[in-house]
Amino acid sequence: MEKQPGTVSQAPATTESYTEENIKVLEGLKAVRERPSMYVGGTDSRGMHHLVWEVVDNAIDEALAGHCDQIHVTIHPDESITVSDNGRGIPVGPYKHENPKLDGKPTVEIVMTVLHAGGKFDSDSYKTSGGLHGVGVSCVNALSEWLKVEVARDGKLYTMSFERGEVSEPLRVVNQQESTGTSISWRPDQEIFSDICHTYDLIAGRLRERAYLNPNIQIQITDLRPEGRTESFHFENGIVEMVEHLNEGKTTIHAPISVRTNAEDGQLVSEVALQYVDTYNEEIHCFANNINNPDGGTHLSGFKNALTRTLNNYAKNEGLLKGNDTAPAGDDWREGLVAVVSVKITNPQFQSQNKTKLLNPEVEGMISSSLGVALTNWCEEHPSDAKRICQKAVMAAQAREAARKARELTRRKGALDGGGLPGKLYDCTSRDVESSEIYLVEGNSAGGSAKAGRDHRTQAILPLRGKILNVEKARLDKILGFEEIRTIIQALNCGIGKDEFDISKLRYGKIIIMTDADVDGSHIRTLLLTFFFRQMTQLVKDNRIYIAQPPLYQVTRNKKSEYVLNEKRMTAMLSTIGLDGTTLVVRDDQQNQVYRLEGGALNKAFQLLKQLNELVATVRRRGIMFEQLLAKRDDDPAGQGRLPHILLQMSGNRDQFFWSEDDEGQHRQQQAVYHADLNMDQVIGESDNGGAKWVRQEMHEVRELEWLFGQLAEYGLSIDDYALKQEESASGETLPTRFELIASDDKGNQRSVPVANLADIVAAVLDVGKNGVEIKRFKGLGEMEAEQLWETTMNPQNRVLLRVTPDDIYKAQHLFSVLMGEDVEPRRQYIETHALDVKNLDV
């Protein structure tokens, strides 16, 4: 029953509705699968990538303990992930515990299946660590369709497998191994996560950051998916190189300054790197035990105090501050400053579970003292650079005063207080902040359509004229002088900058950027995002900024139109049309009709075939012909017609396929392959037998392929027919194909589409779907009528919004510097690198 507004439905309180049977105890990892958001933050892309962070951070902790210097992350074509390191290897011996359920089990099994089990609770094993709760890798196991762990230690290679947190293959020795380390492979569970698709740039950005913070580690990422990339990160100068990377595209004032300090008791190590650039924004990144602390903490306080105190004293002692100068404040001394502050501490104390703020009081004093001394010495050794920094701070103070006057002037015009609203704003009637939203729309034409089509109760429209000022290159006084920016500030009502911004005065719960899907629209969107990131960062941190996703296509069929957001949805729509009223006929070797699929059965079979084609593409990207792989079923040692899942490619094109690690281990022993690194996928090694090169690939997609074979067989479709060719009779006539699509239109007319093999069925269905369909691509919002814009882009029931998240502020800061900064060369390099990623380009 649907509840009416203002009513509360309440069940009668009876003892029968709440009994002892209602109390459940979730044992093992069932609690993680029941409430995944409690452990990884959600079941969306963010939560799925959190699995990667957990395993990588375990390897990083092993490196911090001094036992690991190489980490390799691989993204496989089936979206599984492998994280390998050359550390000590997870212990595999029998675990001793008073609980008989745990006692005697392999320690690696305990680590993988029991929450709060790990080496982080023992200060002798890990002095500093990012993860302190022992839930990381066990959560990954619980939320994975399958997980495989390989451990090299004690001269042996061990392996163990799990499915959704439960042991599927017990621990066993599969080979000899002289090196040590751990390799963990897993595929996120599609029953848990909504979309299994890893983002290369997101993972690579996190790995790059970890490499900066740990200069003794080499971290490599390999993407084996289409158009994949490989990068290796190793920075001998650590956070100094991180600062240089952040300043790419900017004009620097001096060489980076670096300070490293070790506490006498060895419990604390601090590192600071800083550099001034010829811009107007402050950018300071703080880390504790490799964890980013966006809210700072005691390490940030110590840094700010030392910087302001030392530079103020130097400027006064050198007579660089004249009597009529506005005295620089702390913010003035940090204008144009880019800095990284990193501490490694034995017992970190954080404000909350998400570790956004460091609280250890001893950190503040140590950084303040050490940086103060180092910065004083640097100023004396580099007087010309120090003078330029002081002059920049004086100019910042003058600009601050000018900005204050500009604020007063702007406030008198009503742009910085609640006294008035911009004339071009079409406001909503609701005064409830959380339910109201404002659309920043490109152009008056689109603004008019949005105004006419909106829900006036909760949706406000603010049309913007042209491109706004690039705030990356402007001080606050100049920013406030730009009319379109003043209009945005006036509409939002929450002020601007550190001194004036007050999120409690914000008038709208959502700020939605709605621009055209072309180059100009992208540029305007980037300018607006730069403005919010630089001047209203708290809106980004509070998840208030969104990007509208207007449709790219209008599909018309039988005088009925539908709107399509992107290429993926276009394919889904064409398949739906192609399957409607269509029958798949299956024939035998004598061309006799033996089977017909239609309706729901055909739709399910079609979805299975789509999955199959994707996996076939994965196999081919490995350099293997799918037909060759299918033929290997006849060689299965167990005689069960299975596919091999391990490929050992020897030099001279001598490919060897294996059905198990045991078979592979015997072969490697015969070839004397003992001196390779940890048994990671796609790793090149050498054997002692003539120095032959080999590359090992574990084909994780085989598990899903064999499941698909079985599912297709239930619909009368045999994988043996995957690559059939259309045959001819002795007289040269074309014989009927194995498959035939019989498509019917709305008038009952039928047409026949011959299909030679299983592989071509998907393409044939899509071709049927295109018949009689008109496809129109939108180039701008102004082309859409008000009703169209409402139904496709603004109706909360139908629309798709992208939320701008603060997950990777560091990467965003660097990207804005490259795209919007003064230096042309980094921008050119970025465009050349990503040119092939562009879609829907209007020429």
Side-chain angles (χ1 to χ4, degrees):
M1 180 180 69
E2 182 178 351
K3 292 192 294 184
Q4 300 298 316
T7 67
V8 178
S9 60
Q10 184 174 356
T14 63
T15 57
E16 287 78 9
S17 63
Y18 184 57
T19 68
E20 294 81 357
E21 295 179 355
N22 297 111
I23 305 300
K24 299 183 182 300
V25 177
L26 300 178
E27 297 183 354
L29 299 179
K30 293 180 181 178
V32 182
R33 292 185 61 82
E34 189 75 19
R35 295 288 185 269
S37 297
M38 291 178 57
Y39 297 88
V40 298
T43 58
D44 54 4
S45 176
R46 181 182 179 184
M48 183 187 68
H49 283 88
H50 191 86
L51 306 185
V52 183
W53 313 152
E54 291 287 358
V55 182
V56 168
D57 285 348
N58 279 350
I60 294 289
D61 289 337
E62 185 75 354
L64 288 175
H67 303 288
C68 165
D69 61 5
Q70 292 184 23
I71 299 172
H72 187 187
V73 177
T74 304
I75 308 174
H76 298 285
D78 64 341
E79 296 297 339
S80 62
I81 299 286
T82 297
V83 177
S84 304
D85 66 67
N86 64 342
R88 292 169 291 184
I90 300 174
V92 295
Y95 187 65
K96 297 180 180 180
H97 199 275
E98 58 187 15
N99 185 342
K101 292 183 178 181
L102 303 179
D103 190 54
K105 286 188 175 182
T107 303
V108 64
E109 180 180 343
I110 300 296
V111 171
M112 291 290 168
T113 60
V114 179
L115 293 176
H116 306 292
K120 311 298 171 59
F121 304 103
D122 178 9
S123 60
D124 293 334
S125 300
Y126 295 95
K127 286 190 175 182
T128 60
S129 169
L132 300 174
H133 308 289
V135 300
V137 72
S138 56
C139 286
V140 176
N141 191 18
L143 301 177
S144 296
E145 177 185 331
W146 55 263
L147 181 144
K148 177 181 179 181
V149 56
E150 294 172 291
V151 177
R153 60 181 293 152
D154 306 324
K156 298 177 181 178
L157 179 65
Y158 301 83
T159 184
M160 190 173 192
S161 299
F162 305 83
E163 292 183 2
R164 296 185 169 89
E166 301 290 337
V167 176
S168 59
E169 294 182 5
L171 183 71
R172 68 187 190 281
V173 177
V174 295
N175 198 13
Q176 300 181 48
Q177 189 80 34
E178 292 188 359
S179 58
T180 62
T182 301
S183 178
I184 298 176
S185 302
W186 74 94
R187 189 173 192 269
D189 193 348
Q190 295 184 85
E191 294 179 1
I192 302 293
F193 299 102
S194 55
D195 185 17
I196 310 297
C197 183
H198 292 95
T199 304
Y200 176 89
D201 287 336
L202 181 61
I203 298 175
R206 176 68 71 102
L207 298 180
R208 175 188 287 272
E209 179 184 276
R210 292 297 189 264
Y212 283 129
L213 297 170
N214 303 276
N216 296 325
I217 308 176
Q218 181 172 358
I219 305 178
Q220 182 174 334
I221 176 172
T222 301
D223 188 352
L224 298 178
R225 298 172 300 181
E227 302 175 4
R229 289 174 278 170
T230 296
E231 292 182 88
S232 184
F233 306 118
H234 176 62
F235 307 105
E236 293 184 358
N237 294 322
I239 60 174
V240 172
E241 293 187 62
M242 185 176 183
V243 168
E244 292 174 337
H245 178 70
L246 289 167
N247 289 334
E248 185 180 8
K250 303 175 185 176
T251 302
T252 60
I253 293 177
H254 60 89
I257 303 170
S258 175
V259 182
R260 178 185 173 92
T261 309
N262 294 302
E264 292 182 0
D265 58 3
Q267 303 295 303
L268 172 62
V269 178
S270 69
E271 292 181 276
V272 175
L274 63 95
Q275 187 178 37
Y276 279 90
V277 294
D278 191 18
T279 63
Y280 311 111
N281 300 297
E282 168 192 334
E283 190 175 341
I284 305 175
H285 301 276
C286 298
F287 300 88
N289 290 1
N290 295 309
I291 299 169
N292 179 236
N293 313 123
D295 295 336
T298 50
H299 44 359
L300 179 60
S301 299
F303 173 84
K304 287 183 175 181
N305 292 339
L307 186 81
T308 303
R309 181 184 70 249
T310 303
L311 293 180
N312 252 327
N313 290 339
Y314 179 80
K316 291 177 182 178
N317 294 337
E318 296 297 319
L320 300 176
L321 299 180
K322 296 182 173 56
N324 57 351
D325 285 340
T326 301
D331 288 346
D332 302 323
W333 286 113
R334 296 192 298 275
E335 182 186 89
L337 173 67
V338 177
V340 176
V341 183
S342 174
V343 298
K344 306 287 175 57
I345 186 169
T346 300
N347 295 303
Q349 301 172 22
F350 297 102
Q351 188 177 56
S352 60
Q353 174 65 29
N354 54 12
K355 306 173 185 177
T356 58
K357 189 173 184 179
L358 183 69
L359 301 180
N360 296 69
E362 67 273 21
V363 173
E364 181 173 2
M366 177 174 170
I367 290 181
S368 179
S369 174
S370 61
L371 180 60
V373 172
L375 200 54
T376 298
N377 295 335
W378 182 87
C379 289
E380 293 175 353
E381 296 169 1
H382 303 81
S384 59
D385 290 337
K387 183 177 180 180
R388 282 197 291 270
I389 293 173
C390 293
Q391 290 172 339
K392 183 175 177 60
V394 171
M395 294 177 63
Q398 295 171 350
R400 175 167 50 85
E401 179 63 19
R404 183 186 64 80
K405 295 178 180 179
R407 279 195 185 95
E408 292 179 356
L409 177 62
T410 308
R411 183 175 286 108
R412 285 196 293 272
K413 295 180 180 179
L416 291 180
D417 58 25
L421 294 173
K424 61 167 63 177
L425 172 70
Y426 305 115
D427 202 11
C428 58
T429 58
S430 173
R431 298 277 74 89
D432 178 34
V433 173
E434 295 305 320
S435 65
S436 61
E437 52 195 35
I438 182 171
Y439 281 82
L440 307 181
V441 185
E442 175 188 352
N444 291 326
S445 176
S449 296
K451 175 197 172 187
R454 66 173 176 152
D455 180 348
H456 70 277
R457 295 171 300 174
T458 59
Q459 294 177 329
I461 308 297
L462 182 61
L464 298 176
R465 184 182 59 197
K467 297 179 174 67
I468 72 166
L469 177 72
N470 179 7
V471 301
E472 187 72 17
K473 308 174 183 178
R475 278 197 174 102
L476 186 57
D477 54 335
K478 184 177 179 182
I479 293 172
L480 291 173
F482 195 83
E483 180 181 354
E484 294 298 294
I485 289 182
R486 288 202 310 271
T487 301
I488 295 173
I489 297 170
Q490 187 177 3
L492 298 183
N493 196 50
C494 57
I496 185 176
K498 295 180 180 179
D499 298 331
E500 296 286 340
F501 184 83
D502 184 357
I503 199 167
S504 66
K505 296 181 180 180
L506 182 67
R507 300 184 69 243
Y508 307 97
K510 288 186 176 73
I511 298 101
I512 303 172
I513 300 171
M514 187 163 68
T515 60
D516 293 343
D518 58 12
V519 174
D520 283 341
S522 296
H523 191 194
I524 293 171
R525 184 165 60 247
T526 302
L527 289 167
L528 287 168
L529 289 173
T530 305
F531 168 69
F532 287 123
F533 261 90
R534 294 303 194 193
Q535 296 298 332
M536 295 183 173
T537 311
Q538 194 60 43
L539 293 179
V540 179
K541 292 182 178 180
D542 285 2
N543 296 311
R544 299 286 187 179
I545 309 297
Y546 294 80
I547 298 173
Q549 297 290 285
L552 284 178
Y553 300 101
Q554 180 183 24
V555 179
T556 304
R557 180 178 182 244
N558 297 331
K559 298 182 180 181
K560 294 182 179 180
S561 295
E562 294 185 55
Y563 300 94
V564 183
L565 182 64
N566 51 38
E567 297 286 351
K568 182 178 180 180
R569 296 198 179 188
M570 173 66 77
T571 300
M573 174 177 285
L574 292 177
S575 64
T576 299
I577 296 172
L579 291 169
D580 185 25
T582 298
T583 299
L584 176 66
V585 175
V586 183
R587 298 188 177 91
D588 60 19
D589 291 336
Q590 286 74 43
Q591 288 85 48
N592 296 317
Q593 177 181 317
V594 296
Y595 206 80
R596 294 172 65 94
L597 283 174
E598 55 191 5
L602 177 57
N603 181 59
K604 291 179 180 178
F606 177 82
Q607 299 304 326
L608 293 171
L609 289 170
K610 279 180 60 179
Q611 290 178 253
L612 176 63
N613 285 353
E614 292 171 359
L615 291 173
V616 170
T618 295
V619 172
R620 288 174 176 163
R621 285 193 295 271
R622 294 185 182 275
I624 307 169
M625 293 300 295
F626 185 63
E627 295 79 4
Q628 175 193 9
L629 184 64
L630 286 177
K632 288 294 177 182
R633 292 179 298 164
D634 296 334
D635 300 333
D636 179 6
Q640 299 175 2
R642 299 172 302 163
L643 293 174
H645 66 89
I646 299 171
L647 170 62
L648 201 61
Q649 295 176 311
M650 306 290 290
S651 56
N653 297 321
R654 293 176 293 161
D655 290 354
Q656 297 286 336
F657 290 90
F658 303 98
W659 283 255
S660 70
E661 286 87 352
D662 293 335
D663 295 337
E664 179 202 2
Q666 292 176 10
H667 177 81
R668 287 170 59 178
Q669 288 180 10
Q670 293 171 3
Q671 297 294 321
V673 180
Y674 300 133
H675 299 296
D677 289 334
L678 178 63
N679 192 13
M680 299 182 291
D681 288 354
Q682 201 67 16
V683 169
I684 298 176
E686 285 190 8
S687 74
D688 287 343
N689 186 9
K693 298 286 186 179
W694 58 271
V695 177
R696 181 185 191 274
Q697 296 189 58
E698 183 159 355
M699 298 178 289
H700 299 295
E701 61 274 14
V702 162
R703 179 195 302 260
E704 192 169 354
L705 277 170
E706 293 190 325
W707 177 83
L708 282 172
F709 296 169
Q711 293 294 304
L712 288 169
E714 294 183 8
Y715 292 96
L717 302 176
S718 171
I719 194 62
D720 294 331
D721 297 333
Y722 184 81
L724 283 179
K725 303 294 183 182
Q726 188 170 11
E727 297 181 352
E728 295 181 353
S729 66
S731 60
E733 295 179 354
T734 301
L735 296 176
T737 54
R738 174 80 78 188
F739 306 100
E740 179 186 12
L741 286 175
I742 301 176
S744 302
D745 59 22
D746 294 338
K747 298 179 180 179
N749 300 319
Q750 291 187 341
R751 68 188 183 98
S752 172
V753 180
V755 184
N757 52 50
L758 212 60
D760 293 341
I761 292 177
V762 170
V765 170
L766 294 178
D767 285 341
V768 170
K770 293 176 183 178
N771 188 48
V773 171
E774 179 185 350
I775 300 175
K776 175 186 176 182
R777 185 183 183 278
F778 292 108
K779 292 187 177 181
L781 297 170
E783 297 180 31
M784 303 177 69
E785 298 176 359
E787 184 177 348
Q788 291 177 325
L789 194 57
W790 162 255
E791 286 297 332
T792 62
T793 315
M794 301 180 68
N795 184 349
Q797 302 299 320
N798 302 329
R799 71 185 180 187
V800 176
L801 297 178
L802 295 182
R803 186 175 64 191
V804 180
T805 67
D807 289 346
D808 201 347
I809 292 285
Y810 154 70
K811 183 182 176 184
Q813 302 277 24
H814 172 253
L815 186 58
F816 285 132
S817 297
V818 170
L819 295 180
M820 314 305 289
E822 297 282 357
D823 197 347
V824 175
E825 182 60 22
R827 184 156 53 250
R828 182 187 66 79
Q829 293 176 356
Y830 180 88
I831 293 172
E832 288 181 351
T833 300
H834 296 276
L836 295 178
D837 298 335
V838 174
K839 294 181 176 63
N840 305 312
L841 178 64
D842 292 323
V843 180

